[in-house]
């Protein structure tokens, strides 16, 4: 398999007309046709400069060669650090958001408002950089899923993934997961797609279908569910907990031409693939869900222990004074804006 599979090349050979799908029967229910929206055809995103609209930009990145690398962020500080490092896509991890906003584990404790408020803040830091956000199970039935899509899109988020766990879900790398039926999963995907397509003016918001069924029902069922999700309109497929290189490669092949997202968590179910390795396996998006919040735990723990032991934060500060800290948080941008507007409040800072 060639690295950085060109999505357009694969799609050109696909059949776009609605076609019967007896092989993908939903437990006796056969979808009448494959979803197709000509406005969202990947061929429409191949040419021209990258759009300032984050959802459109993400579609351009998906349609063109190269893997999309999205580090997991958990708050404004981690998002600023990711942008400073030069990443052109961010991932708002549900686990990280729950931890940073609530100080709680990833056990379906955070709500739509928690996720949307965090996403709106992160998306505002550089509005052209796509943010892919976790949406858990959609926070309820079809109407709730539709509300989630509209809320995320209004918040400036570029994409969301919605999964097939039961409502009392847990992190995909914990044991004891339970999943809903195929029918309920595809209802969630269909509700998300309908909501996206109903946004006035035409939205490029990206719907990612995620399945956690590999550890519960096996890889064959997981791939089957993702094929159904793609047929229902999911733009990207996300299989949680791929345990080997061979399984990732076979998943990519089975789901082509739909792009595949892989989630890497150190110590989790999926090996610690580098993004060049994942690209060589055919993955189109790779997320590192806990890269910021785990590093933050180590750093803050060390700083707190040092303060407790020595009575000062001098060592942990590593020479970063308040101004240097605020510069990472966008101080220069605020000062420049104030001066251009004719303000004088920040002539000296």
């Amino acid at each position: 398999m060639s690295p950085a599979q060109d999505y357009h090349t694969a799609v050109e050979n696909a059949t776009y007309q609605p076609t019967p799908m007896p092989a993908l029967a939903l437990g006796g229910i056969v979808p009448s046709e494959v979803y197709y929206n000509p406005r969202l055809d990947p061929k429409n995103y191949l040419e021209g400069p990258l759009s300032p609209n984050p959802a459109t930009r993400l579609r351009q990145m998906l349609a063109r060669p190269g893997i999309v690398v999205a580090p997991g962020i958990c708050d404004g500080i981690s998002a600023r650090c990711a942008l400073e490092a030069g990443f052109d896509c961010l991932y708002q991890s549900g686990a990280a958001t729950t931890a940073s906003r609530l100080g709680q584990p990833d056990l379906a404790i955070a709500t739509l408002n928690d996720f949307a408020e965090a996403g709106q803040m992160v998306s505002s830091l550089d509005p052209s950089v796509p943010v892919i956000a976790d949406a858990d199970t959609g926070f309820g039935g079809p109407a709730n899923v539709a509300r989630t899509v509209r809320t995320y899109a209004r918040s400036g988020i570029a994409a969301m993934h919605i999964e097939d766990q039961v409502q009392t879900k847990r992190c995909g790398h914990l044991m004891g997961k339970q999943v809903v039926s195929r029918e309920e999963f595809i209802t969630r995907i269909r509700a998300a797609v309908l909501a996206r397509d109903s946004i006035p003016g035409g939205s490029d918001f990206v719907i990612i279908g995620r399945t956690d069924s590999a550890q519960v029902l096996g890889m064959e069922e997981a791939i089957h569910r993702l094929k159904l999700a793609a047929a229902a309109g999911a733009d990207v497929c996300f299989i949680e907990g791929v345990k080997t290189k061979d399984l990732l490669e076979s998943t990519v092949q089975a789901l082509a031409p739909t792009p595949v997202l892989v989630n890497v968590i150190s110590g989790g179910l999926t090996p610690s693939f580098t993004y060049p390795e994942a690209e060589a396996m055919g993955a189109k998006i790779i997320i590192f869900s806990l890269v910021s919040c785990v590093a933050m735990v180590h750093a803050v723990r060390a700083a707190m222990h040092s303060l407790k032991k020595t009575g000062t934060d001098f060592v942990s500060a590593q020479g970063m004074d308040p101004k240097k800290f605020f510069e990472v948080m966008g101080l220069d941008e605020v000062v420049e804006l104030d001066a251009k507007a004719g303000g004088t409040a920040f002539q000296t800072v």
Side-chain angles (χ1 to χ4, degrees):
M1 180 178 300
S2 62
Q5 180 177 4
D6 183 341
Y7 183 31
H8 169 58
T9 300
V11 167
E12 273 194 325
N13 299 322
T15 300
Y16 284 122
Q17 298 303 317
T19 54
M21 297 176 59
L24 299 181
L26 276 166
I29 301 174
V30 181
S32 60
E33 59 183 42
V34 177
Y35 171 88
Y36 175 60
N37 184 336
R39 188 181 62 79
L40 301 178
D41 191 315
K43 293 195 297 290
N44 298 332
Y45 299 89
L46 281 168
E47 305 296 334
L50 290 176
S51 172
N53 178 287
T56 304
R57 179 178 289 236
L58 181 58
R59 286 190 178 273
Q60 291 172 319
M61 294 164 71
L62 290 173
R64 302 173 188 188
I67 192 169
V68 177
V69 182
I73 51 88
C74 58
D75 59 7
I77 296 175
S78 57
R80 284 286 189 183
C81 291
L83 293 171
E84 182 186 57
F87 287 100
D88 54 10
C89 186
L90 303 178
Y91 174 62
Q92 181 183 308
S93 159
T97 300
T98 303
S100 64
R101 291 181 69 85
L102 305 178
Q104 296 289 336
D106 186 15
L107 298 174
I109 296 171
T111 66
L112 168 60
N113 290 342
D114 294 317
F115 281 58
E117 288 169 6
Q120 183 176 36
M121 178 273 294
V122 170
S123 298
S124 72
L125 299 180
D126 187 335
S128 67
V129 172
V131 174
I132 300 170
D134 193 344
D136 280 0
T137 62
F139 307 104
N144 303 81
V145 172
R147 178 172 179 254
T148 299
V149 170
R150 292 190 289 265
T151 302
Y152 276 33
R154 283 196 302 269
S155 298
I157 296 168
M160 75 175 213
H161 62 75
I162 184 166
E163 68 198 51
D164 60 354
Q165 283 198 57
V166 297
Q167 294 292 347
T168 50
K169 63 146 289 176
R170 63 194 64 198
C171 170
H173 292 253
L174 294 178
M175 299 298 103
K177 292 185 291 185
Q178 294 178 314
V179 296
V180 298
S181 67
R182 293 179 187 173
E183 291 89 343
E184 186 168 348
F185 176 44
I186 301 309
T187 296
R188 291 175 183 175
I189 298 297
R190 193 177 294 115
V193 172
L194 288 169
R196 189 269 314 284
D197 289 352
S198 70
I199 294 174
S203 173
D204 282 347
F205 189 78
V206 175
I207 306 296
I208 302 171
R210 164 179 157 172
T211 183
D212 286 72
S213 61
Q215 286 74 54
V216 183
L217 303 172
M219 284 294 295
E220 183 177 350
E221 174 66 16
I223 291 173
H224 193 79
R225 287 182 177 221
L226 290 179
K227 286 182 177 180
L228 289 169
D235 301 293
V236 177
C237 287
F238 173 1
I239 187 165
E240 182 67 289
V242 179
K243 294 184 177 181
T244 69
K245 173 181 180 290
D246 290 343
L247 284 176
L248 178 55
E249 289 181 335
S250 62
T251 299
V252 169
Q253 292 170 355
L255 296 173
T258 306
V260 170
L261 180 154
V262 62
N263 179 25
V264 173
I265 297 177
S266 180
L269 295 171
T270 301
S272 293
F273 300 131
T274 66
Y275 61 81
E277 289 172 341
E279 182 177 23
M281 295 173 214
K284 190 61 186 179
I285 304 176
I286 185 169
I287 58 176
F288 295 87
S289 295
L290 300 184
V291 62
S292 62
C293 57
V294 169
M296 196 174 295
V297 167
H298 290 308
V300 174
R301 269 181 168 173
M304 292 300 176
H305 284 298
S306 177
L307 174 60
K308 182 73 173 177
K309 182 178 180 179
T310 67
T312 177
D313 69 344
F314 181 80
V315 173
S316 63
Q318 299 181 53
M320 178 175 280
D321 61 29
K323 185 175 181 180
K324 289 179 181 177
F325 171 72
F326 295 137
E327 285 172 350
V328 179
M329 298 303 111
L331 174 65
D332 294 341
E333 300 166 19
V334 176
V335 172
E336 182 181 359
L337 173 63
D338 184 76
K340 285 183 177 179
T344 58
F346 303 122
Q347 287 181 330
T348 303
V349 291

